[in-house]
Amino acid sequence: MCYICFPSEKNSFTPTMFIENTKNPGWIEVICGSMFSGKTEELIRRLRRAQFANLRVEIFKPAIDTRYSEEEVVSHQGNSILSTPVDSSSSIIMLAGNVDVVGIDEAQFFDEGIVDVVQKLASAGIRVIVAGLDMDFRGKPFGPMPALMAVAEYVTKVHAICVRCGDPANFSHRLISSEKLVELGEKQTYEPLCRHCYEKAMAESNKA
Ligand code: ZN
């Protein structure tokens, strides 16, 4: 990334692009970060590359995430790729027959069984790419994500840009007062913040 051409990107991290260099098939990749960090775009990029290479790709997402489409994994950029909504992690094993690559989006919403599922798939020679929020709106590790990151061969943490100061952001600050853990993300509901702006925002809302 050239900061003269893209001055607004000056403060964002540009992680080294992920390139597969494994001889034996079967491993786990996790792409994690806050809202608006480009997790789903990165998942779609990796899956598209695999599709172009004529690999058999299957994509799953939790049935809970019906924001835009029943059948597509859609990023905030409007990129999309066809996927299968599933009610529980165990359905993935049943549906992922005869594939080379499995993509899983919004993995934070899956049950803990997802950890065993991705391990089984990887051990069976399948490349598994998992994307999800690493923290919930309270700044706590989200669902099965910590365990998925632990067992993965490769973890890529992507960052949004803090809307208050421009630093790399890894917190998803909720703009509406709801204690529900699952409020699906839209721009009106969340803003990406860095640690310092997030702490300030939380202190302000505790005072209010
Ligand atoms: Zn900030």
Side-chain angles (χ1 to χ4, degrees):
M1 176 75 69
C2 168
Y3 296 142
I4 296 166
C5 305
F6 297 94
S8 63
E9 296 291 313
K10 203 160 117 201
N11 288 327
S12 74
F13 290 160
T14 6
T16 315
M17 192 170 278
F18 183 82
I19 302 285
E20 314 80 352
N21 61 356
T22 312
K23 279 199 294 293
N24 299 308
W27 67 87
I28 302 164
E29 298 160 35
V30 169
I31 304 161
C32 63
S34 67
M35 305 282 316
F36 313 110
S37 61
K39 296 180 300 296
T40 301
E41 284 84 3
E42 177 60 13
L43 174 69
I44 291 173
R45 186 187 74 80
R46 293 186 195 181
L47 294 172
R48 280 258 158 78
R49 283 181 83 239
Q51 282 178 328
F52 279 123
N54 291 324
L55 295 169
R56 292 158 302 178
V57 174
E58 227 19 276
I59 304 132
F60 301 96
K61 65 176 182 180
I64 189 175
D65 185 11
T66 51
R67 263 179 293 185
Y68 306 94
S69 159
E70 289 293 325
E71 285 163 2
E72 293 176 328
V73 171
V74 180
S75 77
H76 295 289
Q77 301 288 317
N79 284 327
S80 67
I81 193 160
L82 281 179
S83 78
T84 310
V86 289
D87 287 322
S88 80
S89 59
S90 53
S91 317
I92 296 178
I93 289 273
M94 290 187 298
L95 297 167
N98 214 22
V99 296
D100 304 299
V101 183
V102 165
I104 300 172
D105 198 23
E106 303 287 0
Q108 76 277 1
F109 292 139
F110 275 108
D111 51 283
E112 291 291 332
I114 190 78
V115 184
D116 269 348
V117 167
V118 299
Q119 298 252 62
K120 277 192 190 127
L121 295 173
S123 300
I126 295 172
R127 174 184 177 191
V128 186
I129 314 172
V130 181
L133 281 170
D134 44 16
M135 289 188 282
D136 64 25
F137 74 101
R138 303 164 306 176
K140 300 273 186 280
F142 208 146
M145 290 303 289
L148 288 168
M149 289 158 79
V151 299
E153 273 85 346
Y154 307 101
V155 176
T156 306
K157 189 145 176 163
V158 286
H159 295 80
I161 295 173
C162 176
V163 294
R164 303 202 180 174
C165 78
D167 271 0
N170 59 328
F171 289 86
S172 308
H173 179 232
R174 187 178 281 179
L175 294 163
I176 53 163
S177 58
S178 152
E179 279 307 306
K180 255 169 66 194
L181 197 54
V182 179
E183 284 286 351
L184 293 178
E186 290 295 351
K187 252 193 177 140
Q188 308 86 282
T189 321
Y190 295 95
E191 60 180 4
L193 294 180
C194 72
R195 173 180 303 280
H196 305 287
C197 295
Y198 177 78
E199 278 167 6
K200 235 186 264 171
M202 295 311 276
E204 278 159 20
S205 63
N206 284 342
K207 256 188 268 162

